[in-house]
Amino acid sequence: MACQRCGFQFNCICDTEPQLQSTADFVLLTHPRECNKDTNTGVLMTRTLPSCRVEIWHRTEPPQALLDQLQEPNYQAWLVFPSDEQHPSISLPQPQTNHRKILLIILDATWQEARKMVRKSPWLNQLPRIAITPQQTSSYALRRNQQPGHLCTCEVGIELLDLLQHHQAAQQLQTYFNHFLNIYHADKSGHTK
């Protein structure tokens, strides 16, 4: 029987799960198709970062709790998404230079879905954007059609923790992510690692 928390049947990874802290809050704006995929790496962030939560994206019904949070004056929200001519990328301010709490919205979806989410959600286009320049290539290979330079959700979280200068937390999440990748294929094949 599969572990209720990590989902693995033969190689539970719950004992390797770090508990991380961040000065920023994270919202995974998750496409409904991602919710039950065992290849979704956003769950690695929600398990390890108490300041990370999931909001489900719907084209016609934006998540009201997130919309309300965007109106709170003590938060500065950022959409993590590549810049374009109308939305130039802005550098993430360091927490100590800004009295507002940073709220980072990560689109938890395939790249094709993420582009549609932004295009069909005018409220997202009102947010300033942070574009990530990965320091290394993605090690995520659990899905087909991965594009060079694209990161999975957990890798985006790792990059953001580094940008926030939470280097130890970024390294711990990277280790946990690597462990997840190493165990995934063995577990799905019915082998213990």
Side-chain angles (χ1 to χ4, degrees):
M1 184 146 139
C3 172
Q4 293 296 309
R5 185 161 174 84
C6 73
F8 289 134
Q9 184 171 355
F10 303 101
N11 299 280
C12 176
I13 61 171
C14 292
D15 64 339
T16 64
E17 182 180 296
Q19 287 304 302
L20 310 174
Q21 298 298 318
S22 172
T23 55
D25 284 351
F26 296 82
V27 172
L28 303 182
L29 189 58
T30 303
H31 193 284
R33 289 188 188 139
E34 289 295 311
C35 292
N36 296 315
K37 289 184 181 176
D38 58 3
T39 55
N40 181 298
T41 62
V43 297
L44 303 178
M45 290 180 63
T46 58
R47 287 183 204 145
T48 58
L49 275 167
S51 61
C52 182
R53 75 176 198 275
V54 171
E55 294 284 352
I56 305 300
W57 176 84
H58 294 285
R59 184 179 60 79
T60 58
E61 296 176 33
Q64 193 59 51
L66 179 55
L67 293 179
D68 292 345
Q69 191 173 16
L70 294 177
Q71 299 305 312
E72 291 182 25
N74 56 328
Y75 278 100
Q76 171 59 61
W78 303 83
L79 176 63
V80 182
F81 197 75
S83 57
D84 59 27
E85 288 181 12
Q86 290 81 32
H87 307 92
S89 183
I90 301 170
S91 297
L92 185 64
Q94 292 308 309
Q96 59 269 29
T97 63
N98 189 335
H99 298 293
R100 298 167 74 190
K101 186 155 191 171
I102 294 172
L103 177 65
L104 298 168
I105 300 170
I106 302 170
L107 301 180
D108 186 19
T110 65
W111 271 101
Q112 295 85 350
E113 291 167 340
R115 282 193 292 271
K116 288 178 189 172
M117 290 166 69
V118 170
R119 195 171 57 246
K120 295 180 177 185
S121 303
W123 61 276
L124 285 175
N125 281 313
Q126 297 171 8
L127 298 173
R129 292 186 183 180
I130 295 173
I132 292 177
T133 305
Q135 301 304 307
Q136 55 193 10
T137 58
S138 176
S139 57
Y140 181 77
L142 300 182
R143 296 187 190 172
R144 289 176 279 161
N145 303 325
Q146 292 296 110
Q147 299 294 318
H150 290 180
L151 302 178
C152 70
T153 302
C154 188
E155 289 172 318
V156 170
I158 293 164
E159 293 284 336
L160 290 171
L161 287 170
D162 255 342
L163 281 174
L164 291 164
Q165 299 183 4
H166 301 322
H167 304 300
Q168 183 177 1
Q171 185 55 55
Q172 288 177 305
L173 186 55
Q174 180 71 58
T175 300
Y176 182 54
F177 171 66
N178 292 343
H179 189 58
F180 168 81
L181 293 179
N182 290 334
I183 294 298
Y184 185 88
H185 290 295
D187 198 82
K188 296 305 172 192
S189 300
H191 301 111
T192 55
K193 189 84 172 161

